[in-house]
Amino acid sequence: MNRIAMLAVAGLAALALGAAAAVAAPAASPTLVGSVSDPLNISLTQNGAKVTHLKTGTYTIVVKDTASDHDFHLTGPGVNKTTSVGGKGTFTWKVTLKKGTYKYVCDPHASFMKGSFTVS
């Protein structure tokens, strides 16, 4: 095989491997942002918009808890995740959401610091 043919074969092989790697790469899960802060704020957003409905699937939830007197507690089918009331920080959860209704609350103030969304 001459040198040009060998380079052509090597180039095609590299393209094929690159295409296979691109196809095999897993898709990133959508990111939701949970927030709990003073004075009495709690929210769950995606791309800056309040979450009211999502499709089933795996999501990354980044919770920003900036208040030592609140927590962010998410419950629903197969999910029960919470930050601590006394702690502050940023927490990342990977969750699989199934069909149903999910609720998020600040446990010490659950009667008025709350939200919910549905998954179908």
Side-chain angles (χ1 to χ4, degrees):
M1 191 179 289
N2 69 32
R3 188 174 186 166
I4 294 175
M6 287 176 56
L7 288 173
V9 168
L12 288 172
L15 284 173
L17 284 174
V23 170
S29 60
T31 299
L32 309 175
V33 177
S35 177
V36 62
S37 61
D38 282 324
L40 299 169
N41 302 309
I42 192 165
S43 65
L44 184 67
T45 61
Q46 183 178 31
N47 300 322
K50 181 180 176 182
V51 172
T52 58
H53 183 82
L54 296 169
K55 294 183 183 239
T56 59
T58 301
Y59 291 81
T60 299
I61 301 177
V62 178
V63 178
K64 298 175 183 179
D65 184 345
T66 62
S68 59
D69 57 340
H70 302 303
D71 69 343
F72 188 99
H73 190 176
L74 175 67
T75 58
V79 174
N80 187 1
K81 296 279 196 178
T82 188
T83 63
S84 68
V85 173
K88 297 193 286 185
T90 300
F91 307 90
T92 302
W93 304 329
K94 187 79 97 172
V95 298
T96 300
L97 301 180
K98 302 173 184 176
K99 288 182 181 181
T101 299
Y102 290 77
K103 297 178 181 182
Y104 53 94
V105 300
C106 166
D107 289 314
H109 308 103
S111 65
F112 53 91
M113 286 182 71
K114 60 186 175 180
S116 65
F117 61 96
T118 58
V119 175
S120 62

